[in-house]
Amino acid sequence: MKVMAYDDLLFAKGELGAWLGRRLRDALAEVAGTNADEILARPHEQISDEIIERYLVPDLCLDQAGITGSVTDQRVDVSHDVMRAVSDRSSPTYIAGSRIMFRVPFTGIPEIFSLKASTFSFNPPRATVLDGYVSVFRDIPADVLESDRDRVVAALRDEVAKIDTYLDYSRRDIAIANTRLQVQVRQAAEGRRAKILADRDTEAILGVPLHRDKEAAKTYRVQPVVRRRVAPVRQVRPQEGFAPEPAITDEDFSNIVTDIVSTTRMFERLAVTYADLREERLRDPILTALHAIYGGATGETFSKRGKTDIYLPWGDDGPVFLAECKWWTGPKAFAEHDLPQLLDRYIVWRDTHTAMVLFIRNKNATAIIAEAEAIIRAHPRYLRDMNSIQGSPAFVLHKDGDRDREITLELITAVIQR
């Protein structure tokens, strides 16, 4: 059998930088290929972290505390040893000897052992990389081992140390590449989300009718139901001379509220995922569900004096529904900022249906919901209560300065507690 004095050359069969570059490109391609609805339905930070975890290069380390050694019989070819009298050097000449081996366990990606880092020498180490071990060996004639055993063992230890030094070179390159990967993947995910939202805003100004996709509604509903396409009706004003304006039916309004409630129930069930997210991050899954069902929902859409969180348009006539999402930060903020922001900054004279989606992380959620309801009833434009939808209270208020123009306000609450 053939006997080898050394094994494979390490860190010499490819460029580590090129390999790391390919991983980065693959990770960015995965971001670019992520489904648009998923980007909006889930926090983009969560998506980017999952992709980063798949492409981040783990530490490659030798476990020198777990090193093991062995000495086995081996026939050694000495045909190339010029210090020996060999009659024919054109063919192997075997004598008795031993194979001295160190086996060092490692953790990390084995492929890195074959790749050259940006720092290197022209005399890289040799070893076998297999099954979680780096094996360094020398085939030594018996007479050499007998006379110089310490030097032979020391040379093997030096080879192991040399491998670790080369791994240090690789680890430096990998650390830089990992940092670059994390930054660029997160930027790419955030950029993709912004681009998709911009596309949604573009859809909002196309002037096409609001269409409700029944199959998409089933996807986003816990209890799927058959729905109809939302059709605007003409709102009738009690006084003579009223010019009819587009509005949605109570049934359609109930459907929209139900779709939002279905999504917020997911927040409550998956509180660990959603409890620490900002309002706009919680808004995105709601917006995605509505967009999938109705085909025109947009976020951060300008209305009156600001950009409302959720906007369902009807052609060129403006929204048939809009909503605002807020974390509960106390009765003063709700009464003096959150509710006025919706009623005064976003709702115009022609709007008829709206909702306040209130996220609550406090333990006394029942008391907070009652307090929020009381604040709405105490509002100077409050007229009366309506029947609740999916357990969410509804109220009728009038437009500022015009008691004949009514708007229905739904208070949707999601209690998101860890």
Side-chain angles (χ1 to χ4, degrees), residues 395-415:
F395 311 91
V396 177
L397 294 87
H398 66 79
K399 303 296 174 59
D400 189 19
D402 190 345
R403 295 183 66 88
D404 291 329
R405 293 291 295 187
E406 297 182 348
I407 185 163
T408 302
L409 168 66
E410 191 81 15
L411 178 65
I412 303 172
T413 56
V415 182

Side-chain angles (χ1 to χ4, degrees), residues 134-192:
V134 175
S135 299
V136 179
F137 71 87
R138 296 292 183 269
D139 291 344
I140 309 298
D143 56 347
V144 174
L145 186 60
E146 181 66 26
S147 64
D148 208 357
R149 183 177 292 108
D150 290 342
R151 185 184 64 81
V152 170
V153 174
L156 285 175
R157 293 190 182 279
D158 288 345
E159 195 74 356
V160 173
K162 188 175 182 180
I163 293 171
D164 208 22
T165 298
Y166 267 68
L167 285 179
D168 278 338
Y169 302 152
S170 299
R171 283 190 284 263
R172 293 173 201 168
D173 290 356
I174 290 169
I176 294 171
N178 278 345
T179 300
R180 184 183 301 116
L181 179 115
Q182 292 176 74
V183 170
Q184 293 193 20
V185 167
R186 289 186 178 121
Q187 288 176 343
E190 185 173 2
R192 177 153 171 74

Side-chain angles (χ1 to χ4, degrees), residues 61-96:
C61 297
L62 295 181
D63 177 16
Q64 299 210 41
I67 191 170
T68 58
S70 63
V71 181
T72 57
D73 283 335
Q74 184 70 39
R75 300 287 291 173
V76 181
D77 178 15
V78 295
S79 60
H80 299 291
D81 186 349
V82 296
M83 302 301 294
R84 294 181 182 273
V86 177
S87 59
D88 182 7
R89 297 187 183 276
S90 63
S91 59
T93 300
Y94 296 113
I95 65 173

Side-chain angles (χ1 to χ4, degrees), residues 186-374:
R186 289 186 178 121
Q187 288 176 343
E190 185 173 2
R192 177 153 171 74
R193 175 185 175 276
K195 194 266 182 188
I196 293 168
L197 284 177
D199 288 346
R200 298 294 190 261
D201 287 342
T202 302
E203 289 176 351
I205 63 173
L206 294 179
V208 295
L210 179 65
H211 173 75
R212 191 169 194 277
D213 188 327
K214 297 177 182 178
E215 293 304 314
K218 294 177 182 179
T219 301
Y220 284 92
R221 287 295 315 280
V222 176
Q223 298 291 333
V225 297
V226 176
R227 302 280 181 79
R228 300 179 304 164
R229 173 178 173 176
V230 175
V233 297
R234 295 294 175 181
Q235 185 184 34
V236 180
R237 185 175 171 182
Q239 294 182 347
E240 190 176 349
F242 168 67
E245 298 294 340
I248 57 175
T249 65
D250 289 341
E251 180 183 0
D252 286 329
F253 180 56
S254 176
N255 288 340
I256 294 170
V257 170
T258 300
D259 293 325
I260 296 176
V261 169
S262 180
T263 305
T264 60
R265 293 294 180 267
M266 175 183 66
F267 298 163
E268 296 180 343
R269 295 291 180 189
L270 303 175
V272 173
T273 299
Y274 293 98
D276 296 326
L277 297 184
R278 299 191 302 273
E279 291 154 357
E280 61 268 26
R281 301 293 184 247
L282 291 168
R283 180 274 317 275
D284 290 346
I286 300 172
L287 187 63
T288 301
L290 294 178
H291 181 80
I293 297 168
Y294 298 98
T298 62
E300 297 297 325
T301 303
F302 191 83
S303 178
K304 194 176 180 179
R305 298 200 308 271
K307 291 184 177 181
T308 186
D309 284 332
I310 297 171
Y311 185 99
L312 273 175
W314 175 262
D316 295 327
D317 292 322
V320 290
F321 173 82
L322 53 82
E324 188 68 9
C325 300
K326 294 291 182 184
W327 275 108
W328 172 267
T329 57
K332 181 179 176 64
F334 186 74
E336 298 179 7
H337 177 267
D338 300 344
L339 191 59
Q341 181 177 350
L342 174 63
L343 296 176
D344 300 331
R345 286 182 58 83
Y346 301 149
I347 293 176
V348 301
W349 183 79
R350 299 181 189 278
D351 294 334
T352 60
H353 294 81
T354 188
M356 173 68 74
V357 184
L358 194 61
F359 307 122
I360 302 169
R361 57 166 61 97
N362 308 61
K363 298 299 182 182
N364 57 333
T366 300
I368 288 172
I369 294 170
E371 194 167 14
E373 293 181 33

